[in-house]
Amino acid sequence: MSKKKGLSAEEKRTRMMEIFFETKDVFQLKDLEKIAPKEKGITAMSVKEVLQSLVDDGMVDCERIGTSNYYWAFPSKALHARKRKLEVLESQLSEGSQKHASLQKSIEKAKIGRCETEERTRLAKELSSLRDQREQLKAEVEKYKDCDPQVVEEIRQANKVAKEAANRWTGSEKEDNEKKHKFAGTVVAHTCNPSTLGG
């Protein structure tokens, strides 16, 4: 024994609209929460949600009078809404058809003078060949990029800067070493000199 399958959201909306169209009456939420489960099988808990979705889509009208909200929808309103939608779609179709016709005319106009002739075919082949040749030459230039005078000059400048930096670094280190050796030499000479020993 299988459980009864629930209604989809679209089925609930359709059945809710049937309540309005069949009765042609105005309802409060509490009335619909009683009627919908009995007559259309819509659970009472989902009535408010379904009703709100219909109001949001403009399929059901809602008006607050005093402290209560009243809901209604008449078949004539739905008919007018469908007619308006149909008019909009027909207008869009007409615009699309005009645009299509305009583009077709542009294509036909562009084709004029482009008929396949021997000269046109020859020129197209020549153009293709020249494009291929250009790509080959670009690849060739890329191979010899390292020999480009501008690139070589940039490398020389970078080497010069690096050399100067290395000289500054090693130069200051060399001076420090010289100072250390000089100081060490004076200390050794001073201590080994008999005249400084007080003899």
Side-chain angles (χ1 to χ4, degrees):
M1 191 162 150
S2 64
K3 290 184 178 181
K4 187 178 179 184
K5 185 182 171 194
L7 298 172
S8 70
E10 197 54 43
E11 289 173 325
K12 289 177 185 177
R13 287 168 52 98
T14 302
R15 291 184 182 196
M16 184 69 75
M17 290 304 294
E18 287 173 1
I19 293 171
F20 288 109
F21 292 162
E22 290 168 2
T23 60
K24 298 182 180 104
D25 203 354
V26 178
F27 299 97
Q28 288 184 329
L29 178 61
K30 62 183 178 181
D31 300 331
L32 289 169
E33 286 175 338
K34 291 177 188 172
I35 296 169
K38 289 179 187 173
E39 294 184 16
K40 299 298 179 181
I42 302 170
T43 60
M45 293 177 67
S46 64
V47 169
K48 185 174 182 179
E49 180 185 333
V50 172
L51 191 58
Q52 189 58 50
S53 75
L54 292 169
V55 170
D56 292 343
D57 291 345
M59 296 175 71
V60 173
D61 292 311
C62 175
E63 190 70 41
R64 185 171 191 86
I65 301 173
T67 58
S68 303
N69 286 332
Y70 291 89
Y71 300 91
W72 70 92
F74 299 114
S76 60
K77 180 181 179 185
L79 179 65
H80 290 298
R82 285 190 192 109
K83 281 184 179 177
R84 271 186 264 123
K85 179 87 171 171
L86 182 62
E87 288 171 3
V88 168
L89 291 173
E90 285 175 344
S91 170
Q92 290 174 350
L93 178 64
S94 173
E95 288 173 14
S97 296
Q98 289 174 356
K99 191 171 185 179
H100 181 263
S102 171
L103 290 172
Q104 286 291 4
K105 285 180 184 176
S106 297
I107 290 170
E108 292 302 320
K109 194 174 182 181
K111 283 182 178 179
I112 294 173
R114 289 192 182 185
C115 52
E116 289 298 320
T117 61
E118 287 181 29
E119 183 183 2
R120 179 174 171 77
T121 306
R122 183 185 58 77
L123 289 172
K125 285 180 183 177
E126 187 178 338
L127 177 64
S128 176
S129 171
L130 288 172
R131 284 182 177 158
D132 291 341
Q133 188 178 358
R134 183 181 70 182
E135 290 304 315
Q136 289 172 354
L137 290 173
K138 276 185 180 179
E140 191 80 17
V141 167
E142 194 64 31
K143 270 199 275 184
Y144 297 113
K145 184 178 178 183
D146 295 338
C147 298
D148 183 359
Q150 187 177 358
V151 173
V152 170
E153 185 59 32
E154 288 173 6
I155 292 170
R156 283 186 181 148
Q157 290 298 323
N159 285 343
K160 184 178 177 183
V161 170
K163 185 176 179 182
E164 289 172 359
N167 286 338
R168 278 194 305 271
W169 180 260
T170 57
S172 62
E173 196 174 287
K174 186 177 178 183
E175 287 173 14
D176 289 345
N177 286 338
E178 286 175 2
K179 285 179 185 176
K180 286 178 192 173
H181 289 300
K182 197 174 193 180
F183 179 72
T186 23
V187 169
V188 169
H190 186 63
T191 53
C192 293
N193 190 346
S195 63
T196 58
L197 294 175

